[in-house]
Amino acid sequence: TYVIAVTDPTSDKDSRLSAFFVPNDAPGFELIPMPHMMGCKGAGHAGLKFTNVVLDPKYLLGEEGQSMEVAMHSLAVSRVHIACSNLGMCQRMLEISLDRAADRVTFGKPIIDRQAIKMKLANMQQYVHATRCMVYDFARYFDANPNGKFIDEKAALCKLQSIDTTRLVG
């Protein structure tokens, strides 16, 4: 779990906050279970309870006062997680559409043989493939440049592309 906390109350508002990794077994830290959330299978959700938690300085993320940079970096990675979830969902919707088009027969032939359906399925495949390529491109770039520029922009593009794909395929 990572949290942002005040580390220097006398500093200006941008540099008074720092980000920390809090191990789930840290003394005084407790995760409070929350009700089941529909559709959110990949990420855990819980309430956080802190009772006199003291952390070793090794758990500081970045430098003291850099909470905004840490948060923005985490947000970028989160955007790509959303894009990956959307991609998986769209891939499955495409597979279901292909199966249905092959099974559904009208006027004596499967609708997958009809030009309008072929165009729709090809368009769906194009968007799913483009989204997959963008996600892979982001992953390669991220691995090669973990602190590089344009992480935020590339992550936002992945999420935007995945949303457009979801609209088209869904």
Side-chain angles (χ1 to χ4, degrees):
T1 306
Y2 98 84
V3 298
I4 295 175
V6 175
T7 52
D8 184 1
T10 62
S11 183
D12 68 36
K13 68 179 183 177
D14 288 340
S15 62
R16 60 186 261 161
L17 301 172
S18 299
F20 296 90
F21 169 73
V22 181
N24 289 345
D25 61 354
F29 178 63
E30 186 179 353
L31 294 172
I32 309 297
M34 292 177 67
H36 170 73
M37 295 183 70
M38 258 178 66
C40 223
K41 303 293 184 192
H45 293 83
L48 308 177
K49 182 178 178 184
F50 297 88
T51 308
N52 299 320
V53 175
V54 177
L55 293 174
D56 188 295
K58 71 180 180 182
Y59 292 119
L60 178 66
L61 299 174
E63 309 232 351
E64 191 169 339
Q66 279 190 324
S67 64
M68 185 56 98
E69 291 88 346
V70 172
M72 293 308 293
H73 182 77
S74 296
L75 186 59
V77 173
S78 175
R79 285 184 177 119
V80 178
H81 287 179
I82 291 168
C84 290
S85 294
N86 287 348
L87 174 59
M89 180 177 56
C90 290
Q91 178 65 46
R92 184 64 184 130
M93 287 189 289
L94 173 61
E95 291 164 2
I96 291 168
S97 298
L98 288 165
D99 289 345
R100 179 65 176 149
D103 290 345
R104 176 77 169 112
V105 175
T106 61
F107 302 103
K109 70 179 188 179
I111 64 170
I112 200 166
D113 293 336
R114 304 201 181 279
Q115 187 64 31
I117 301 299
K118 286 181 180 182
M119 289 174 58
K120 175 69 174 168
L121 292 171
N123 204 7
M124 291 166 68
Q125 288 175 322
Q126 170 194 354
Y127 269 75
V128 169
H129 181 71
T131 302
R132 182 176 293 107
C133 288
M134 288 185 82
V135 168
Y136 286 173
D137 182 58
F138 175 88
R140 277 190 297 277
Y141 184 83
F142 185 83
D143 285 346
N145 305 291
N147 297 316
K149 291 184 174 183
F150 308 119
I151 294 287
D152 296 343
E153 290 86 349
K154 286 182 178 293
L157 286 171
C158 285
K159 183 179 174 187
L160 179 62
Q161 174 67 26
S162 76
I163 290 168
D164 288 346
T165 301
T166 304
R167 286 186 188 129
L168 178 86
V169 175

